């Protein structure tokens, strides 16, 4: 389909569109007026990870195309927990923890979106502001009558949990009702006409569209993105060492940069389109590089994504550290650092404390495989005691891509 609106052309060219309700209607609306659109994020941690970055970038694209992005923080729905894709109930968080998490999450949006009072400026809202005011009887009477249990049981988030004989609380069962109510509320109060989300949110988005039509006779729209996986089939958001967090206090910028630098050759073009603002013709050139030259494209990818999410200084420092570590054989300033006290630290324990291995058992296996080096010398004893005089440093490496500084304290 050929789109008339700059919004749908932009989303289509860069690979964001998987499913869409009434594409012609949304295209016509976006071509003639500013469309306020939103994506919801629950505040289950103090940072989002890169699995959420495609959604954040969709809001950025919305603003780049001249429309209004609305960041919906799930201060209310976080208290319930989205059952989608989960086999067990989410841990309940305190009100204080949720508020702290929302403040932490805002930092990434403040980098990627322009907030303010203008017609296309981004705003952040919290659904606890309205969900927390809903009385139970009011919710049942006004909203509950528009949902049938038959249909709710057919949704994957419910059906799969029941098929696996995993318990689902009545609290979680209500999540889809409240998410649908969010769309209706934002439509009525802020003129929101579009909800976007991952492909797993399609059913929840449709619920909100139908509820808005039934309660307010207003047409609204939905778009979902493709399920984002790496070329080897892994789900975006995690690495071998754990979650790839967007906030620097959760993951050092060098490690963040390295994640993108180490991506599969086959993912370079897709990631450049989704996660950078580089022109499409430049991306087309970069993704045709082959052999060792593709590494140049990966450095561009790592620099561009790190610059967007962490800032210019972080990108420059991370690339400089990589050059010093790999090309010069030295120690870059941005490498993760572990302070070693006078008692010293065992080799296996150092790997685990740095997050290079998930356990001392894994550390022992890696050392046994000859994958661990101390100052570029292969080590074979997990119990080797590393003692470092105060102020001096040593380099610890796992494989060719993980390096750290051990510093005497």
């Amino acid at each position: 389909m050929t789109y008339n609106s700059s919004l749908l052309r932009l989303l289509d060219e860069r690979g964001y569109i998987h499913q869409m309700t009434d594409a012609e209607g949304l295209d016509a609306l976006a071509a003639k007026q500013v469309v306020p659109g939103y994506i919801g994020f629950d505040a289950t941690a103090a940072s989002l990870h890169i699995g959420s970055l495609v959604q954040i970038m969709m809001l950025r694209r919305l603003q780049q195309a001249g429309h209004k992005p609305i960041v919906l923080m799930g201060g209310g729905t976080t208290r319930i927990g989205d059952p989608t894709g989960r086999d067990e109930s989410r841990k309940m968080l305190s009100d204080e923890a949720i508020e702290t998490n929302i403040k932490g999450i805002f930092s990434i949006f403040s980098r990627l979106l322009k907030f303010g009072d203008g017609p296309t400026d981004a705003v952040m809202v919290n659904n606890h502001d309205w969900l927390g005011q809903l009385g139970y009887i009011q919710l049942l009477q006004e909203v509950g009558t528009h949902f049938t249990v038959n249909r709710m049981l057919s949704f994957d988030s419910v059906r799969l949990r029941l098929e696996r004989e995993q318990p689902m609380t009545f609290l979680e069962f209500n999540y889809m009702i409240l998410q649908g109510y969010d769309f209706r509320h934002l439509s009525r109060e802020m003129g929101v006409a579009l909800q976007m989300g991952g492909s797993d949110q399609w059913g929840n988005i449709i619920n909100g569209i139908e509820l808005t039509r039934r309660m307010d006779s207003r047409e609204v729209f939905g778009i979902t993105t493709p399920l984002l996986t790496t070329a080897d089939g892994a789900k975006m958001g995690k690495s071998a060492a754990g979650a790839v967090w967007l906030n620097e206090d959760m993951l050092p910028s060098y490690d963040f940069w390295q994640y993108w630098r180490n991506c599969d050759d086959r993912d370079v073009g897709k990631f450049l389109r989704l996660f950078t603002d580089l022109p499409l013709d430049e991306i087309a050139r970069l993704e045709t590089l082959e052999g060792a030259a593709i590494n140049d494209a990966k450095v561009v990818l790592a620099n561009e994504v790190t610059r967007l999410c962490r800032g210019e200084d972080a990108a420059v420092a991370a690339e400089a550290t990589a050059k010093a570590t790999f090309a010069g054989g030295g120690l870059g300033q941005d490498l993760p650092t572990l302070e070693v006290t006078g008692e010293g630290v065992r080799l296996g324990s150092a790997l685990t404390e740095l997050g290079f291995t998930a356990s001392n058992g894994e550390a022992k296996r890696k050392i046994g495989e000859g994958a661990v080096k101390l100052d570029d010398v292969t080590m074979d004893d997990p119990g080797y005691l590393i003692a470092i005089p105060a102020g001096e440093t040593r380099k610890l490496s796992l494989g060719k891509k993980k390096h750290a500084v051990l510093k005497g304290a």
Side-chain angles (χ1 to χ4, degrees):
M1 177 177 176
T2 301
Y3 298 112
N4 295 314
S5 66
S6 59
L7 171 62
L8 293 190
R9 286 200 304 270
L10 178 60
L11 294 180
D12 183 47
E13 289 170 348
R14 288 191 173 259
Y16 290 96
I17 298 176
H18 175 56
Q19 297 162 296
M20 184 162 35
T21 64
D22 188 8
E24 291 184 1
L26 177 58
D27 190 38
L29 185 68
K32 71 179 181 180
Q33 69 177 60
V34 172
V35 175
Y38 86 99
I39 300 178
F41 302 86
D42 280 347
T44 55
S47 170
L48 300 173
H49 59 61
I50 61 168
S52 297
L53 187 55
V54 68
Q55 311 305 328
I56 301 171
M57 290 299 294
M58 276 192 86
L59 290 172
R60 182 176 174 87
R61 304 303 183 207
L62 187 75
Q63 191 166 52
Q64 288 173 337
H67 300 280
K68 187 176 185 68
I70 295 172
V71 181
L72 173 65
M73 292 308 307
T77 44
T78 299
R79 290 165 168 81
I80 295 175
D82 185 357
T84 304
R86 301 178 65 88
D87 284 337
E88 57 186 25
S89 298
R90 180 183 287 168
K91 179 182 176 182
M92 298 294 289
L93 299 177
S94 67
D95 292 355
E96 293 76 14
I98 292 172
E99 288 304 314
T100 297
N101 289 347
I102 289 175
K103 289 178 182 178
I105 289 170
F106 178 74
S107 62
I108 185 64
F109 289 103
S110 66
R111 287 189 179 276
L112 294 172
L113 300 174
K114 178 183 178 293
F115 285 80
D117 299 323
T120 63
D121 286 343
V123 296
M124 177 178 278
V125 294
N126 185 338
N127 65 11
H128 187 58
D129 292 345
W130 55 87
L131 295 181
Q133 307 305 313
L134 276 177
Y136 184 59
I137 299 301
Q138 176 193 0
L139 178 66
L140 290 178
Q141 287 183 324
E142 292 187 10
V143 183
T145 55
H146 298 286
F147 290 80
T148 67
V149 173
N150 311 61
R151 188 166 185 215
M152 293 171 74
L153 288 172
S154 72
F155 279 86
D156 286 347
S157 58
V158 177
R159 180 178 55 80
L160 294 176
R161 183 85 72 86
L162 297 178
E163 287 178 356
R164 295 169 185 158
E165 298 185 356
Q166 298 286 345
M168 170 177 277
T169 66
F170 182 67
L171 185 70
E172 293 175 285
F173 192 58
N174 282 272
Y175 187 93
M176 66 182 76
I177 295 178
L178 296 182
Q179 185 171 332
Y181 185 84
D182 281 344
F183 202 170
R184 183 256 181 168
H185 175 88
L186 291 172
S187 168
R188 170 177 282 193
E189 300 298 326
M190 301 182 69
V192 170
L194 172 64
Q195 182 183 0
M196 301 177 290
S199 59
D200 61 344
Q201 294 298 314
W202 179 249
N204 288 330
I205 291 173
I206 294 298
N207 275 339
I209 290 172
E210 293 182 352
L211 183 66
T212 303
R213 184 173 63 247
R214 290 171 181 170
M215 295 187 73
D216 296 339
S217 299
R218 183 164 190 258
E219 184 178 10
V220 290
F221 305 90
I223 299 176
T224 64
T225 58
L227 176 64
L228 194 59
T229 58
T230 57
D232 59 5
K235 189 175 181 180
M236 286 286 290
K238 292 189 176 181
S239 68
V244 183
W245 299 103
L246 294 174
N247 287 16
E248 188 161 6
D249 58 352
M250 301 279 282
L251 182 75
S253 290
Y254 176 75
D255 293 332
F256 184 81
W257 188 93
Q258 278 291 116
Y259 175 85
W260 301 100
R261 166 61 182 82
N262 294 335
C263 76
D264 191 293
D265 294 359
R266 296 166 291 177
D267 288 326
V268 172
K270 176 172 68 175
F271 288 174
L272 285 168
R273 279 186 288 274
L274 290 172
F275 301 121
T276 81
D277 288 338
L278 288 178
L280 291 173
D281 56 353
E282 174 63 6
I283 294 173
R285 182 189 72 80
L286 289 169
E287 68 180 333
T288 60
L289 297 177
E290 298 179 350
I294 193 66
N295 291 326
D296 295 335
K298 293 182 183 182
V299 169
V300 171
L301 171 66
N303 282 339
E304 291 295 320
V305 181
T306 304
R307 185 176 293 113
L308 282 176
C309 296
R310 301 292 182 85
E312 178 71 24
D313 291 347
V316 171
E319 183 179 11
T321 292
K323 287 181 178 178
T325 303
F326 297 109
L331 290 177
Q333 295 181 353
D334 207 31
L335 285 177
T337 300
L338 177 66
E339 289 195 351
V340 179
T341 61
E343 294 81 15
V345 63
R346 301 291 177 183
L347 179 63
S349 297
L351 291 167
T352 303
E353 287 186 43
L354 285 162
F356 286 2
T357 54
S359 65
N360 288 340
E362 183 186 356
K364 183 178 180 180
R365 289 194 299 274
K366 294 295 184 183
I367 294 168
E369 294 168 0
V372 177
K373 292 183 178 181
L374 186 63
D375 289 334
D376 297 322
V377 176
T378 301
M379 306 297 290
D380 59 8
D381 180 10
Y384 178 81
L385 183 65
I386 306 171
I388 307 175
E392 295 188 13
T393 60
R394 304 186 72 177
K395 182 172 73 171
L396 180 62
S397 305
L398 173 60
K400 296 180 179 180
K401 297 178 179 179
K402 291 186 178 180
H403 305 275
V405 177
L406 304 182
K407 183 177 181 180

